[in-house]
């Protein structure tokens, strides 16, 4: 019996070993290697520093009911795109409908009285004072009817502008107060990047100073547009708020994202290359068919998410960046972290 059990165990272990060897011989595909990347940007020489900024919406609109009541339905969620005139929420309109019915009844009664007294007035048997009083009551009834109609319409909250729902501050079943914000609608078709600039440096920035903006959250690189300069310094930090307008047609930039901003002063000079982090440039220790030993290279990422060694010629160094004179183009994506795990043709995710 023991011999049979030993033989059975041997067969199982042998089968498992064969399966492992088969898996190795089949060369199963490795999972993509995770790396951090950066898009190559134009190289400039200046004394500017890199500032940390926050992405803001171009404009925020607070939307609220004009009256008080219980919210019956909320029809939007945070992050949802809405168009102008779209229904956002509804309030319980029972009381508003009752008031409208009463106003309609008063309007009907006033019109009936007007018709009857008109006959007397036309015959000259009605004093002018009473005729004026009847007309006044009709006008009052009409005014109350218009107010009742508006109160009913105000139970429906519609978007005054198009955009993205930022915050939803009230839910169904809660009581909304007059002018209490129900939702905020954000316009992010373009955004602003806000940075705080020290008072000693703000003078070198004007409305059209070029700015290079990097947003790591989406691996994005952007060129800043028109700049809005604050005119009042923070009392504690002695910094001025600078807001840079940035196009955001693809809606990738979202409020709250952190951005690295570099202003290019008017005295800047092009160094004829592209700026990349110094740490991304490596030196080859062996000769290959594509690269001579001792040459410099960076890892670039193709559209199919594969990594390749790309030989480069470097120029001037500025801070943590170095200019690349040859080997790269503006817009190329290079690996900045995780390149130690790469080999030619490695699949990556970033």
């Amino acid at each position: 019996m023991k011999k049979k059990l030993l033989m059975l165990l041997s067969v199982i272990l042998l089968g498992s070993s064969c399966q492992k060897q088969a898996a190795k011989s089949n060369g199963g595909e490795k999972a993509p290697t995770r790396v951090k990347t950066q898009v190559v940007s134009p190289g400039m020489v200046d004394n500017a520093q890199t500032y940390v900024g926050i992405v803001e919406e171009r404009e925020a609109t607070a939307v609220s009911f004009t009256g008080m009541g219980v919210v019956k339905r909320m029809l939007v969620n945070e992050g949802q795109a809405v168009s102008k005139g779209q229904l956002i929420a509804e309030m319980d309109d029972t009381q508003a409908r009752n008031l409208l019915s009463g106003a309609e009844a008063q309007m009907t009664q006033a019109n009936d009285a007007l018709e009857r007294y008109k006959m007397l007035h036309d015959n000259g048997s009605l004093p002018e004072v009473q005729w004026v009083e009847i007309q006044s009551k009709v006008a009052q009834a009409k005014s109350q009817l218009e107010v009742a109609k508006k109160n009913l319409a105000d139970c429906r909250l519609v978007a005054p502008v198009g955009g993205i729902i930022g915050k939803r501050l009230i839910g169904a079943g809660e009581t909304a107060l007059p002018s209490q914000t129900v939702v905020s609608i954000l316009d992010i078709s373009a955004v602003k990047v806000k940075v705080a600039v020290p008072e000693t440096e703000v003078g070198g920035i004007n409305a059209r100073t070029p700015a290079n903006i990097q947003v790591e959250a989406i691996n994005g690189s952007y060129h800043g547009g028109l700049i809005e300069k604050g005119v009042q310094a923070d009392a504690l930090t002695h910094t001025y708020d600078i807001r840079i307008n940035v196009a955001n047609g693809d809606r990738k930039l979202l409020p709250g994202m952190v951005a690295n901003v570099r202003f290019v002063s008017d005295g800047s000079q092009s160094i004829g290359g592209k700026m990349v982090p110094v740490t991304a440039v490596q030196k080859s220790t062996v000769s290959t068919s594509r690269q001579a030993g001792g040459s410099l290279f960076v890892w670039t990422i193709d559209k199919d998410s594969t990594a390749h060694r790309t030989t480069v010629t470097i120029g001037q160094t500025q801070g943590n960046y170095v200019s690349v004179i040859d080997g790269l183009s503006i817009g190329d994506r290079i690996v900045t972290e995780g390149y130690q795990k790469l080999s030619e043709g490695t699949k990556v995710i970033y």
Side-chain angles (χ1 to χ4, degrees), residues 21 32 34 40 236 284 335 345:
Q21 292 294 333
R34 181 171 292 278
V40 177
L236 296 177
S284 176
V335 178

Side-chain angles (χ1 to χ4, degrees), residues 202-217:
V202 72
I205 300 172
N206 58 53
R208 300 192 179 278
T209 298
N212 295 324
I213 300 167
Q214 300 284 338
V215 182
E216 292 187 3

